[in-house]
Amino acid sequence: MKFLRVNMTEKSIQAEDVPQAYLGLGGRGLTSIFIDAEVTPTCDPLGPENKLIFAPGLLSGTTLINTSRISIGAKSPLTGGIKESNVGGTVSAALGRLGITAIIVEGKAPQGELYLLKIDENAEARLLPALGFKGTRTYALVETLQKDHGAKNGILCIGPAGENQLASASIQSTDVDGRPCRAAGRGGLGAVMGSKGLKALIVSQGGKHPDALADPEAFKGAAMIFAKAVKEHPFSGQLMPALGTAMLVGPINAAGAFPSFNATQGVLDGWERISGEKLAETIKARGGKSGHMGCSQCIIHCSNEFVDAQGKYVTAALEYETIWATGGMTGITDLDSIARMDFLCDDIGLDTMNTGVAIAVAMDAGYKPFGDAQAAIEMLEEIVKGTELGKAIGNGPVSVGKHFNHHRVPVAKNQSIAAYDPRGIQGMAVTYATSPMGADHTAGWVVGQNLAAFGGKLDPLSPQGQVEVSRAAQIATAAFDCTGLCQFAATAANDVPEAGQALLTLLGAKLGTALTQEDVNALGVRVIKAERAFNRKAGLTNKADRLAKFFYEEPLPPHNKTVLVSDEEMDRTFNF
Amino acid sequence: MNVKVKLFGLLPRRFPGYNPEQGMEVLLPQGARVKDLLARLDISKEEGGIVAMNGLVQKADAELRDGSVVHVFHPIAGG
């Protein structure tokens, strides 16, 4: 249990015991409570006062399946508020096995300097000069780093977008095959890492000293029950390996809630060409991989490897949200172009969602026609060239809206919405508007409850009851994001009572204290309170808990609804 | 009455000869509801959790209309 504090101004590294105030925290709970306590809310997100914290989940580094999420936190240059963005891959488990609770990057290297942070199998950390990697894209970077430092390292890194401190810059993570194809995409954390002068974290996967479990026997038994439930659940055991997240393209279009052509249509004409079914069929016919393992200790295998017509690798883990942002929003219904854009975003180090939506706003403003894949790809390359337009695209949809003086910019707190239109699923309006993270679908995903035929009365087109379901989902998610578990494993915990109980046992066996569901909910509330407290001090009041104005004014076909959740109802979401 | 059913995800595998372009016609008594259609196709609620009729998602008790196109999807989860 230790913090590594890396001061980029002084180039010093200090290991310290985890301070009392942070004991028992991990993942998002740790990053958010830390940022609220240690970062000046009004600071420049790209200045020396901001801090970038990397925290594996509470259960990362244990033997439990699917515990490979790492939370990354800072003040966001995109939203101006607190940010936690989490990603799978290999680094979380690696840090957990080294007994590292968090890495905190402070200060700022002098202009023009660039470093690597290397952590070896004994948890010894060093800063290494990396000027030779200036401007290097992520695939080329990790290939060289793996040659220089060995393939048994997990890597978190930035591309040119992060170095150029653009507000859509991601932090990319290597998957189990060593490719930088998984992203902590949201909120511009890549820009914060770039501002510090840090190009990559290289973490040994050979650690053998995870924190001791308080009750190893109880942990072992509960871990087996949990794994069995995840494997046997139809969603995580069958559907996700067969179709991946892209399985959502069909149902969300059927619901009329797939924001298309920059959120002017709720059904994408031709969605069948980019559906999960079509993706799986295409991958199979070309000899790519579905049911691919992306993250350490994963037994779900929702990832895929997309290959071109010649069977050559294009990108890994073509995901629903990316297909939507670069396909649905831009009107590009061609998987090959979408896969190319996904690769370019990973390689340049960009959030596919914020960037796809930025391109869609440019198209809607008349810069290029919808559906023009070549133009979309050129816009991505403009980002690397650093032209005025490239900077606008790389800084996200609001920046593009200003560049073209265009009003239809689908965001909350400057961050793009995800692949569920808030007018077609009103509960997502609540989550997007009120999440301290800005529009973030993972912060409180209420899509299933709204669309399910069985068990529930929510009408996706009505505001009735949406605040309550969003509140409950946001609290549950804030707690779950502390664990390091993948949200796709949560389904079994929610649906199978023994798995839900097993999760409480696992957390208790790690921490050495018996936990109830109420304790877990209280943790979720504590995390959200810290996030909202930071945001208020940063100047984001309840007036920021709103969606872009056009969502309240422009009806979305085919249901022709606007967002119907009132401001007063939005303000009721966090009634604690 | 007749409805045209289109199946998604892993559901088509359950019906040999199913044509994804055409879907399949299902004959039901007048007044049949979404849950009756699923029961008729032997699709459990764990398998078929989202049903849309003519582009609008439906609850299990919703009445079907003759000549409708009904899309059946798996339950969804995650984020």
Side-chain angles (χ1 to χ4, degrees), chain B residues 5-79:
Chain B
V5 176
K6 293 194 123 187
L7 302 169
F8 294 87
L10 306 179
L11 294 171
R13 298 180 188 178
R14 297 264 311 275
F15 300 86
Y18 173 83
N19 179 337
E21 303 296 324
Q22 303 288 317
M24 61 185 185
E25 298 285 334
V26 179
L27 186 63
L28 290 161
Q30 210 60 35
R33 293 168 192 275
V34 164
K35 60 185 177 189
D36 302 325
L37 170 67
L38 295 180
R40 173 69 176 281
L41 297 175
D42 197 23
I43 295 174
S44 69
K45 62 181 175 184
E46 286 75 30
E47 293 171 298
I50 297 179
V51 180
M53 177 166 64
N54 302 332
L56 198 60
V57 290
Q58 304 291 334
K59 300 296 177 198
D61 286 331
E63 212 171 290
L64 295 166
R65 286 194 300 276
D66 189 27
S68 296
V69 179
V70 180
H71 291 196
V72 183
F73 302 93
H74 294 284
I76 55 176

Side-chain angles (χ1 to χ4, degrees), chain A residues 59-69 88-97 175-176 205 207 210 219 223 226-227 230-231 293-301 483-486 489:
Chain A
L59 299 172
S60 301
T62 70
T63 54
L64 181 65
I65 59 152
N66 289 73
T67 45
S68 292
R69 305 297 296 189
T90 53
V91 174
S92 195
L95 286 174
R97 287 197 292 267
D175 69 354
V176 294
Q205 292 179 270
F219 192 95
F226 190 80
V230 169
K231 199 71 195 165
M293 179 175 175
C295 308
S296 302
Q297 295 173 223
C298 172
I299 63 165
I300 297 176
H301 300 183
T483 64
L485 274 161
C486 163

Side-chain angles (χ1 to χ4, degrees), chain A residues 433-446:
Chain A
T434 62
S435 167
M437 298 297 151
D440 179 345
H441 64 292
T442 67
W445 195 82
V446 295

Side-chain angles (χ1 to χ4, degrees), chain A residues 488-541:
Chain A
F488 299 139
T491 314
N494 292 335
D495 289 357
V496 182
E498 301 80 51
Q501 182 54 50
L503 182 51
L504 293 175
T505 306
L506 286 159
L507 289 166
K510 160 92 192 202
L511 298 171
T513 172
L515 288 178
T516 64
Q517 192 55 50
E518 287 69 38
D519 297 327
V520 173
N521 288 349
L523 173 63
V525 168
R526 184 181 164 203
V527 173
I528 292 175
K529 275 186 171 172
E531 291 168 348
R532 286 175 56 80
F534 182 90
N535 278 359
R536 268 195 306 278
K537 289 177 277 181
L540 298 177
T541 65

Side-chain angles (χ1 to χ4, degrees), chain A residues 111-134:
Chain A
Q111 186 79 25
E113 292 186 11
L114 200 59
Y115 293 88
L116 307 171
L117 177 66
K118 182 175 177 181
I119 302 172
D120 68 17
E121 67 275 18
N122 299 315
E124 295 294 330
R126 279 182 298 158
L127 279 170
L128 306 170
L131 262 185
F133 292 117
K134 202 167 171 50

Side-chain angles (χ1 to χ4, degrees), chain A residues 1-4 18 54-57 60 92 94-104 119-120 122-125 203 209-211:
Chain A
M1 286 201 291
K2 62 178 171 186
F3 278 3
L4 284 185
V18 175
F54 299 83
S60 301
S92 195
L95 286 174
R97 287 197 292 267
L98 290 166
I100 294 174
T101 306
I103 299 169
I104 297 143
I119 302 172
D120 68 17
N122 299 315
E124 295 294 330
V203 182
H209 300 287
D211 296 344

Side-chain angles (χ1 to χ4, degrees), chain A residues 49-314:
Chain A
E49 283 183 284
N50 200 5
K51 298 185 183 188
L52 182 67
I53 173 168
F54 299 83
L58 276 171
L59 299 172
S60 301
T62 70
T63 54
L64 181 65
I65 59 152
N66 289 73
T67 45
S68 292
R69 305 297 296 189
I70 185 165
S71 290
I72 310 175
K75 178 176 176 177
S76 164
L78 181 71
T79 68
I82 199 164
K83 174 56 62 179
E84 182 263 3
S85 183
N86 63 68
V87 60
T90 53
V91 174
S92 195
L95 286 174
R97 287 197 292 267
L98 290 166
I100 294 174
T101 306
I103 299 169
I104 297 143
V105 182
E106 310 176 332
K108 184 174 172 137
Q111 186 79 25
E113 292 186 11
L114 200 59
Y115 293 88
L116 307 171
L117 177 66
K118 182 175 177 181
I119 302 172
D120 68 17
E121 67 275 18
N122 299 315
E124 295 294 330
R126 279 182 298 158
L127 279 170
L128 306 170
L131 262 185
F133 292 117
K134 202 167 171 50
T136 307
R137 297 193 186 195
T138 67
Y139 272 77
L141 174 73
V142 301
E143 199 183 330
T144 308
L145 292 180
Q146 280 159 353
K147 268 189 207 139
D148 294 351
H149 301 273
K152 283 279 177 200
N153 286 291
I155 297 171
L156 292 169
C157 63
I158 57 170
E163 286 184 54
N164 294 335
Q165 301 179 31
L166 298 170
S168 298
S170 60
I171 296 176
Q172 296 292 132
S173 171
T174 46
D175 69 354
V176 294
D177 298 322
R179 288 167 167 150
C181 60
R182 313 199 70 87
R186 312 242 68 193
L189 294 179
V192 178
M193 190 158 154
S195 75
K196 303 277 175 222
L198 187 61
K199 180 71 175 169
L201 247 78
I202 307 166
V203 182
S204 169
Q205 292 179 270
K208 293 186 176 63
H209 300 287
D211 296 344
L213 297 168
D215 186 345
E217 279 311 303
F219 192 95
K220 197 172 164 191
M224 283 172 68
I225 293 168
F226 190 80
K228 185 166 177 281
V230 169
K231 199 71 195 165
E232 287 177 355
H233 195 285
F235 176 77
S236 43
Q238 293 160 31
L239 200 53
M240 290 305 276
L243 299 179
T245 54
M247 57 89 60
L248 287 162
V249 173
I252 306 306
N253 273 280
F258 191 72
S260 306
F261 300 99
N262 195 32
T264 56
Q265 301 288 328
V267 180
L268 176 68
D269 195 27
W271 63 261
E272 295 89 344
R273 289 198 290 276
I274 60 169
S275 68
E277 290 82 352
K278 185 71 183 177
L279 176 65
E281 182 190 314
T282 306
I283 287 173
K284 190 176 177 194
R286 292 176 175 184
K289 283 185 200 159
S290 291
H292 173 249
M293 179 175 175
C295 308
S296 302
Q297 295 173 223
C298 172
I299 63 165
I300 297 176
H301 300 183
C302 75
S303 176
N304 56 56
E305 266 186 30
F306 189 89
V307 296
D308 65 15
Q310 285 72 48
K312 191 165 163 264
Y313 176 86
V314 179

